[in-house]
Amino acid sequence: MIVKLSTRRRMITAGVAFFAVALLLVELYPIVITLLNGFRRDIVILSGQKFAFSQLTTASYMLVFKNRQMMKAMGNSIVVGLGSTALSVGVGAMAAYGISRFRFRERNALAYSFLVFRMLPQMSLVVALYLMFRAIGLRDTLFGIMLAHSSFNVPYVIWMLIPFFSAVDKSYEEAAMVDGCTRWTLFRLIFLPLVAPGLVVAAVFAFINSWNEFLYALILTGVNARTAPVAISSLIGGDTLTWGQMCAASTVMLTPVFIFTLAMQKFLIRGVAAGGVKG
Amino acid sequence: MKGAGGQGSPVPFLVPALLIVFAVLIFPIVFSFVVSMFDWPLSAGGGERHFIGAGNYVDLVQDKEFWNSLKLQLGFIFIAIPLELLLGLAAALLLNREFNGGRVIRALILLPVFFLPVVSGMTWRFMLQPRYGALNNFLLALGAPEITWLGDPTFAYAAIIVQDIWRMWPFVFMLLYAGLAGIPTDILEAAEIDGANFRRRLFSVILPLLYPTILTALLLRIIDALRIFSEVYVMTEGGPGMSTTLFSLYTHRQAFGYMKVGMASAMAIFLLVISIVFAVTLVRKNMSLEKLEERGGDR
């Protein structure tokens, strides 16, 4: 009886594993296509040839790396991502500290409104941002798009960091207060090092949010500050069908995201539940 | 925690964040509302602007394309999200056990969620191309006729839904899997020992305990689906015709296609109100500051 039961269990487990692998193949197929097509020539892709290892070449990558506009857009993406991340984590850490280590009447309302702000659709803001940025000369500037990305990253970072700040034992701050530390010194010298892991997690997710973002970049930037997602989308459309280059450039963009994703499994759920990773 | 931080004022720590929130969230929202009451053309020199009060809102209600975009948007939500929830739940239940490679599979299944939305739209557009697209290659091999998927209104609409399901059911799976792992195993074992079959266990034990997580996943997905733009924009550009012009795409077209910023702002405010209703519901029901603080930094 026991033997039978365990055989049955094993069969179920094998069935589940089979199902899981099938599911995985479906989910990974479009990703694999993108990765492979980056190593095939446009002409090979457009002629509909079956995949063969002999087709593999880095020609599309070379074209992407030689494409000035694409390289500039990728550079912009890095600058905007880092800038928006630095701004959001700096400002967000202060606010998260303010919310979690002080008691004041509007505390809950403030924390919850940051969360609601994170969930507002970009389309509701972008028209107004466009008019505002055009009026004050921020349209098509790196600072402008950085600021726009902070509209979702600041609330996001605050909500991510609150639990990290709350977890710090109060004996630390009591001891420091007795020593005559100001709140600012306390924040800088005691809290920031203690929540450093949280800062890293929040920074990674904030960077990915900015890195993947498309709508603000599409509307608020032009030739100067255009970021990579917009540049990639312009590789396809009308008579331009450079699928190979599109996939090569996409692979370059996807690589850091996938590395972070796989490395940060433990934090993924909180990362997405705080408002989703979304363009 | 209670005594902590009694002294001092939190204001200096909150001011920078509040300034940014004011500049890029509150002010644009108020400004949108103001613009929505004007006949406001996009032209750079600032063409003729007229205050028309609720005029744009009245025009919207009478605009057939507005209702069409709303219908497409709601259809999108009502078809895609239930399927994502079902798939996510089924996969979470099935994979909630240990087997060789299980961890790797669970990690890899999440990759589509982090696929750049733009790239996802482009890749699906690629796969659905006639002549060289993967789907047609497959169907041709089976002897089926070639179809220009994205050139057909119905197929194009189905395609943007399938793209979303492909990309986002793993997101639901991720949340529900974590929720399942949070159910104490002795409860499940007790039910099993009491002789409850799988169906009983599912409906009387698992689903009730998982309900808060399911609700969170549902609301997060609705909020997210309400603002979908980039995938669809690069996949179909709203076409053919208006067949995939979802709400955000129509707003975009009003502002930057028809150059009617006032109308676009009225649509923006409409979408904003709906999104706030769902976001506040989610926050009220399922996101508690106390719980978040208790959990601490390491999980």
Side-chain angles (χ1 to χ4, degrees):
Chain A
M1 189 60 198
I2 293 165
V3 177
K4 260 191 184 165
L5 193 68
S6 84
T7 324
R8 194 170 156 245
R9 277 257 149 115
R10 214 173 294 160
M11 295 258 296
I12 292 179
T13 307
V16 167
F18 178 77
F19 171 80
V21 170
L23 211 55
L24 191 62
L25 289 180
V26 173
E27 286 304 298
L28 294 187
Y29 180 74
I31 299 177
V32 171
I33 276 205
T34 307
L35 302 187
L36 283 181
N37 278 340
F39 289 100
R40 299 166 83 202
R41 284 174 201 278
D42 291 333
I43 187 122
V44 173
I45 298 170
L46 286 169
S47 62
Q49 293 178 35
K50 282 232 159 54
F51 175 78
F53 282 99
S54 58
Q55 295 163 350
L56 295 186
T57 157
T58 54
S60 293
Y61 280 88
M62 289 306 142
L63 285 171
V64 166
F65 292 138
K66 269 190 230 147
N67 181 336
R68 283 244 183 92
Q69 288 173 330
M70 181 57 77
M71 283 298 100
K72 188 177 174 197
M74 284 188 178
N76 285 344
S77 269
I78 294 174
V79 173
V80 170
L82 291 178
S84 156
T85 302
L87 184 66
S88 316
V89 172
V91 164
M94 287 171 67
Y97 173 73
I99 288 172
S100 61
R101 308 305 289 195
F102 292 86
R103 288 294 173 270
F104 48 99
R105 204 155 40 92
E106 305 82 359
R107 201 177 86 94
N108 277 328
L110 191 66
Y112 291 131
S113 29
F114 279 125
L115 190 56
V116 171
F117 277 134
R118 173 64 186 91
M119 298 177 189
L120 301 185
Q122 280 105 309
M123 191 40 98
S124 291
L125 299 165
V126 75
V127 178
L129 285 175
Y130 176 85
L131 296 174
M132 286 162 58
F133 281 12
R134 196 176 67 179
I136 56 176
L138 273 182
R139 206 187 95 79
D140 201 15
T141 63
L142 290 176
F143 181 70
I145 186 73
M146 241 178 241
L147 205 60
H149 284 180
S150 305
S151 72
F152 48 79
N153 269 341
V154 168
Y156 182 77
V157 168
I158 293 174
W159 198 252
M160 283 283 277
L161 285 181
I162 286 176
F164 287 92
F165 277 103
S166 301
V168 174
D169 199 277
K170 68 178 174 193
S171 60
Y172 284 103
E173 69 197 312
E174 279 164 1
M177 291 292 234
V178 169
D179 290 344
C181 269
T182 63
R183 276 292 189 175
W184 178 244
T185 332
L186 187 67
F187 169 71
R188 230 162 26 93
L189 297 182
I190 311 283
F191 274 89
L192 282 189
L194 285 172
V195 300
L199 296 177
V200 173
V201 176
V204 166
F205 280 103
F207 183 84
I208 293 178
N209 286 337
S210 169
W211 188 250
N212 289 2
E213 203 280 330
F214 178 73
L215 178 56
Y216 284 164
L218 179 73
I219 307 292
L220 302 176
T221 69
V223 274
N224 285 319
R226 188 202 271 185
T227 57
V230 180
I232 288 178
S233 77
S234 70
L235 286 175
I236 303 294
D239 297 332
T240 338
L241 288 171
T242 45
W243 292 110
Q245 290 178 59
M246 189 282 279
C247 291
S250 298
T251 305
V252 174
M253 291 297 285
L254 285 168
T255 307
V257 178
F258 282 176
I259 290 175
F260 286 140
T261 310
L262 294 174
M264 303 194 86
Q265 285 294 313
K266 201 177 141 194
F267 293 101
L268 283 189
I269 292 183
R270 198 203 289 165
V272 296
V277 170
K278 184 81 171 75
Chain B
M1 254 322 286
K2 265 208 182 112
Q7 317 106 337
S9 161
V11 174
F13 290 98
L14 298 173
V15 164
L18 291 175
L19 279 178
I20 290 189
V21 163
F22 181 81
V24 289
L25 285 156
I26 295 174
F27 186 78
I29 290 171
V30 175
F31 187 48
S32 274
F33 187 64
V34 173
V35 174
S36 79
M37 290 186 292
F38 279 83
D39 178 12
W40 190 312
L42 185 68
S43 55
E48 288 282 292
R49 290 166 199 169
H50 304 285
F51 181 80
I52 51 170
N56 285 321
Y57 294 92
V58 174
D59 282 355
L60 266 192
V61 175
Q62 289 166 349
D63 178 10
K64 255 199 232 148
E65 296 302 344
F66 168 77
W67 291 108
N68 179 52
S69 74
L70 201 59
K71 195 184 80 192
L72 293 175
Q73 183 70 51
L74 290 178
F76 179 85
I77 290 173
F78 277 113
I79 300 169
I81 294 181
L83 290 172
E84 287 166 16
L85 285 176
L86 270 179
L87 266 167
L89 179 65
L93 289 169
L94 275 169
L95 298 184
N96 186 28
R97 66 194 78 213
E98 284 314 312
F99 57 94
N100 285 342
R103 270 189 56 166
V104 176
I105 286 180
R106 284 191 294 264
L108 289 178
I109 256 177
L110 299 181
L111 285 182
V113 179
F114 297 90
F115 209 49
L116 268 77
V118 174
V119 178
S120 176
M122 307 278 273
T123 299
W124 278 86
R125 179 169 166 175
F126 173 75
M127 292 194 299
L128 298 174
Q129 289 297 312
R131 284 197 303 117
Y132 52 87
L135 184 59
N136 272 326
N137 279 345
F138 178 71
L139 290 178
L140 284 174
L142 293 180
E146 184 170 42
I147 297 170
T148 310
W149 296 99
L150 296 178
D152 177 279
T154 313
F155 284 138
Y157 187 59
I160 60 169
I161 291 174
V162 170
Q163 187 274 149
D164 195 70
I165 295 174
W166 169 79
R167 217 169 79 77
M168 292 317 275
W169 79 257
F171 170 85
V172 177
F173 161 75
M174 171 166 53
L175 290 182
L176 297 189
Y177 181 81
L180 269 183
I183 296 177
T185 37
D186 41 336
I187 297 183
L188 295 176
E189 274 164 13
E192 203 169 353
I193 288 165
D194 288 348
N197 60 20
F198 178 72
R199 237 178 93 178
R200 280 283 315 265
R201 290 206 307 274
L202 179 64
F203 286 104
S204 336
V205 184
I206 298 176
L207 286 184
L209 285 171
L210 207 55
Y211 174 71
T213 319
I214 295 176
L215 190 65
T216 302
L218 173 68
L219 288 168
L220 277 173
R221 284 303 301 130
I222 291 177
I223 290 165
D224 210 24
L226 274 172
R227 63 181 174 198
I228 183 163
F229 178 82
S230 44
E231 302 93 312
V232 183
Y233 182 77
V234 298
M235 208 170 145
T236 66
E237 288 160 45
M242 298 290 272
S243 60
T244 54
T245 305
L246 301 184
F247 199 87
S248 281
L249 279 98
Y250 190 52
T251 312
H252 175 265
R253 183 177 293 204
Q254 280 286 356
F256 303 101
Y258 306 154
M259 309 281 178
K260 288 182 179 167
V261 179
M263 283 286 269
S265 296
M267 289 188 73
I269 294 292
F270 182 87
L271 180 64
L272 187 77
V273 171
I274 296 178
S275 300
I276 288 179
V277 169
F278 280 106
V280 169
T281 311
L282 172 64
V283 169
R284 280 248 161 112
K285 291 220 153 164
N286 283 45
M287 297 201 161
S288 135
L289 185 61
E290 277 78 43
K291 260 192 212 151
L292 188 76
E293 295 191 309
E294 271 165 30
R295 197 172 53 186
D298 30 77
R299 211 203 79 84

